[in-house]
Amino acid sequence: MSLQKYFIEFNDTIKMDFDVKSELKEKRDILLGILRNSNDLPSFSEYNQGSYKMNLGVEPLDKEYDIDVGLRFNANSKDYTPMELKNVIYELLKNHTDYGATIKKPCVTVTYKKDGEAAYHVDLVVYTYEDKDDTSSQLFLARGKSSESDETCWEKSDPVGLVDYVSEKYSGDDHKDDREQFRRIIRYLKRWKNKRFSNTGNAEPPSIGITLIAVDMFEVSKTYDVLTKKYSYNDFDALLKFLKELKTLFVYVGTSDTGRKLYKIEYDLPSTLKFENNVNIFRKMTDNYMTDFKEKVDSLIVDLENVEAEVDEVEQCVQLRKIFGDSFPVPEKETASKKQVEYISRTSASGV
């Protein structure tokens, strides 16, 4: 028996809930209404971005949901400093909730509570145009936390192009099932990294980095059944193959003062998009953090290979639960097959 049904159940459990999306949308619309009614801001159009827009969201382990909303102001970047619009937004929203608003480098964050604790936050990302009369002109992101910081600047950005770039992977109705496997694999890895990395500082590899690598390197794993004339998908095989591709990207960069061999990935935002040139997605992670990332990927591959070698289906799921957490299902021994007839199929990614 295949592990596929357990992976599908796992995906259904960790996938961001539709009702939560509705609540986030409601919070977003309230904030946008406040900003639109202000005479201190130019008009703008909003654009959902990030995992919410890409349909790659997972249930957060800390139970705090988020949505990224791009605010494309009908204004020229040269007419405002990067902090000017962010400061106005902060003043308008700082007393909107019990938690208030916070200015962060890429956005202004508004946090909501539910049942007495933080439950939602909306990240408002400020953009202006190179030429407000030409909405196809370069967009600039207001980066910075204060006017005094040397890091504060207008940064070239392409949020719409980025979402389109990811969404074009297996686009169209003919590739719907391939696209769903692609999304599931990213969700599995998001849950894994949320469990294995600290979310403070820059220890955790950014999800957009893993997503963009998957766009370029992920291959579907499926087999065609001549009798049913349908494809059957193998998420385990697809996940393991992708991790082995990811592993090849780490390059040795030297040795630390303690003698540790250091590795990192340098993976730039797509050159076809309108971002700053040569922006390494993993640039915020130190070499030590990147080496932690490599070691955990290496361990994950070994752990999955051990699952692959195990012939007892229940034990396979037990091991997968240790990897991904309690959300991964484990069948009852009396209802599951005691032995798999053969090891997990090593099908070709093309399904041919």
Side-chain angles (χ1 to χ4, degrees):
M1 187 179 292
S2 168
L3 289 171
Q4 184 64 12
K5 69 175 184 179
Y6 303 116
F7 273 99
I8 295 298
E9 185 178 337
F10 177 50
N11 173 74
D12 292 343
T13 301
I14 65 174
K15 182 179 180 181
M16 180 179 282
D17 185 82
F18 178 79
D19 291 335
V20 170
K21 282 190 173 184
S22 298
E23 287 189 63
L24 285 170
K25 181 177 181 296
E26 179 184 318
K27 306 299 185 190
R28 177 203 67 182
D29 290 346
I30 291 172
L31 296 179
L32 296 181
I34 294 172
L35 300 183
R36 283 202 168 93
N37 288 330
S38 171
N39 294 324
D40 297 325
L41 290 172
S43 61
F44 62 86
S45 62
E46 74 272 8
Y47 182 77
N48 291 333
Q49 53 188 57
S51 60
Y52 180 100
K53 180 67 174 179
M54 298 176 192
N55 292 309
L56 297 173
V58 297
E59 293 284 315
L61 291 176
D62 61 4
K63 297 303 179 184
E64 187 172 339
Y65 297 87
D66 73 287
I67 179 174
D68 293 337
V69 184
L71 306 179
R72 296 173 291 182
F73 284 95
N74 298 313
N76 297 325
S77 57
K78 65 182 180 181
D79 295 331
Y80 292 87
T81 66
M83 292 304 301
E84 214 166 336
L85 296 175
K86 293 177 80 171
N87 285 333
V88 173
I89 292 171
Y90 169 78
E91 290 297 328
L92 290 170
L93 302 178
K94 65 181 181 181
N95 297 318
H96 177 65
T97 71
D98 290 343
Y99 286 95
T102 304
I103 296 179
K104 299 180 179 179
K105 287 181 182 179
C107 61
V108 179
T109 297
V110 180
T111 302
Y112 292 83
K113 74 177 181 179
K114 187 175 183 179
D115 299 327
E117 58 184 26
Y120 306 99
H121 68 263
V122 180
D123 291 332
L124 301 168
V125 188
V126 173
Y127 299 98
T128 56
Y129 291 95
E130 183 174 33
D131 179 0
K132 66 179 182 179
D133 297 320
D134 178 10
T135 55
S136 65
S137 67
Q138 178 68 58
L139 271 178
F140 292 89
L141 179 150
R143 182 170 293 280
K145 296 177 67 174
S146 71
S147 300
E148 292 74 30
S149 173
D150 293 336
E151 296 180 321
T152 299
C153 65
W154 284 116
E155 180 180 280
K156 290 181 180 179
S157 190
D158 190 2
V160 178
L162 183 61
V163 170
D164 289 345
Y165 183 85
V166 174
S167 300
E168 285 169 5
K169 181 77 168 180
Y170 304 121
S171 61
D173 291 341
D174 292 344
H175 299 288
K176 180 176 181 290
D177 293 335
D178 294 349
R179 181 169 64 250
E180 287 305 310
Q181 186 182 65
F182 166 74
R183 290 174 175 173
R184 289 195 302 269
I185 297 306
I186 293 175
R187 293 190 193 106
Y188 302 153
L189 288 175
K190 281 188 172 185
R191 173 51 61 91
W192 167 77
K193 78 182 186 72
N194 288 158
K195 280 183 59 62
R196 300 300 174 186
F197 296 86
S198 169
N199 61 4
T200 59
N202 297 304
E204 184 178 359
S207 292
I208 189 60
I210 292 174
T211 299
L212 289 176
I213 291 172
V215 171
D216 296 337
M217 303 185 75
F218 173 81
E219 293 185 0
V220 167
S221 179
K222 62 184 180 181
T223 54
Y224 186 72
D225 189 319
V226 178
L227 294 178
T228 63
K229 297 182 179 179
K230 292 181 179 179
Y231 283 102
S232 59
Y233 286 78
N234 188 331
D235 286 8
F236 181 95
D237 186 64
L239 174 61
L240 185 54
K241 286 180 177 177
F242 174 64
L243 286 166
K244 289 179 178 179
E245 291 294 328
L246 175 61
K247 179 179 179 178
T248 66
L249 297 177
F250 288 95
V251 295
Y252 173 72
V253 294
T255 305
S256 71
D257 293 339
T258 61
R260 185 189 194 192
K261 291 184 178 180
L262 300 174
Y263 297 83
K264 69 178 179 180
I265 295 176
E266 290 194 0
Y267 213 86
D268 291 347
L269 287 164
S271 60
T272 55
L273 303 181
K274 296 163 68 176
F275 288 95
E276 298 286 349
N277 293 329
N278 304 317
V279 176
N280 176 19
I281 306 167
F282 299 98
R283 65 192 181 280
K284 293 182 180 180
M285 297 180 70
T286 65
D287 289 348
N288 271 312
Y289 282 153
M290 287 298 293
T291 304
D292 289 342
F293 182 24
K294 178 188 183 302
E295 290 174 352
K296 289 176 181 178
V297 169
D298 290 346
S299 294
L300 177 56
I301 291 172
V302 171
D303 289 343
L304 291 176
E305 288 176 336
N306 289 336
V307 172
E308 187 175 35
E310 173 60 54
V311 295
D312 184 90
E313 185 178 277
V314 174
E315 181 57 29
Q316 285 182 312
C317 290
V318 169
Q319 292 181 27
L320 288 167
R321 174 172 283 193
K322 290 179 181 178
I323 294 170
F324 295 110
D326 293 342
S327 295
F328 198 94
V330 175
E332 296 292 335
K333 284 186 178 293
E334 59 268 24
T335 59
S337 298
K338 298 298 181 183
K339 300 288 182 181
Q340 289 179 251
V341 176
E342 58 186 29
Y343 290 165
I344 297 170
S345 174
R346 299 174 184 270
T347 59
S348 68
S350 65
V352 178

CSV table of all heavy atoms in Angstrom, one decimal, residues 255-261 288:
chain,number,residue,atom,x,y,z
A,255,THR,N,36.1,27.7,6.4
A,255,THR,CA,36.1,27.1,7.7
A,255,THR,C,35.9,28.2,8.8
A,255,THR,O,36.6,29.2,8.7
A,255,THR,CB,37.3,26.3,8.0
A,255,THR,OG1,37.5,25.3,6.9
A,255,THR,CG2,37.3,25.5,9.3
A,256,SER,N,35.1,27.9,9.8
A,256,SER,CA,34.9,28.9,10.9
A,256,SER,C,36.1,28.9,11.8
A,256,SER,O,37.0,28.0,11.7
A,256,SER,CB,33.6,28.6,11.6
A,256,SER,OG,33.8,27.4,12.4
A,257,ASP,N,36.1,29.8,12.8
A,257,ASP,CA,37.2,29.9,13.8
A,257,ASP,C,37.3,28.6,14.6
A,257,ASP,O,38.3,28.3,15.2
A,257,ASP,CB,37.0,31.1,14.6
A,257,ASP,CG,37.2,32.4,13.9
A,257,ASP,OD1,37.9,32.3,12.8
A,257,ASP,OD2,36.7,33.4,14.3
A,258,THR,N,36.1,27.9,14.7
A,258,THR,CA,36.1,26.7,15.5
A,258,THR,C,36.4,25.4,14.7
A,258,THR,O,36.3,24.3,15.2
A,258,THR,CB,34.7,26.6,16.2
A,258,THR,OG1,33.7,26.5,15.1
A,258,THR,CG2,34.4,27.8,17.1
A,259,GLY,N,36.7,25.6,13.4
A,259,GLY,CA,37.0,24.5,12.6
A,259,GLY,C,35.8,23.9,11.8
A,259,GLY,O,35.9,22.8,11.2
A,260,ARG,N,34.6,24.5,11.9
A,260,ARG,CA,33.5,24.0,11.3
A,260,ARG,C,33.5,24.3,9.8
A,260,ARG,O,33.8,25.5,9.4
A,260,ARG,CB,32.2,24.6,11.9
A,260,ARG,CG,30.9,24.1,11.4
A,260,ARG,CD,29.7,24.9,11.8
A,260,ARG,NE,28.5,24.2,11.6
A,260,ARG,CZ,27.3,24.7,11.8
A,260,ARG,NH1,27.2,26.0,12.1
A,260,ARG,NH2,26.1,24.1,11.6
A,261,LYS,N,33.2,23.3,8.9
A,261,LYS,CA,33.2,23.6,7.5
A,261,LYS,C,31.8,24.3,7.2
A,261,LYS,O,30.8,23.9,7.6
A,261,LYS,CB,33.2,22.3,6.7
A,261,LYS,CG,34.6,21.6,6.8
A,261,LYS,CD,34.6,20.4,5.9
A,261,LYS,CE,36.0,19.8,5.9
A,261,LYS,NZ,36.1,18.5,5.0
A,288,ASN,N,27.0,30.4,9.2
A,288,ASN,CA,26.6,29.3,10.2
A,288,ASN,C,25.2,28.9,10.1
A,288,ASN,O,24.9,27.7,10.2
A,288,ASN,CB,26.9,29.9,11.6
A,288,ASN,CG,28.3,29.6,12.1
A,288,ASN,OD1,28.8,28.5,11.9
A,288,ASN,ND2,29.0,30.6,12.6
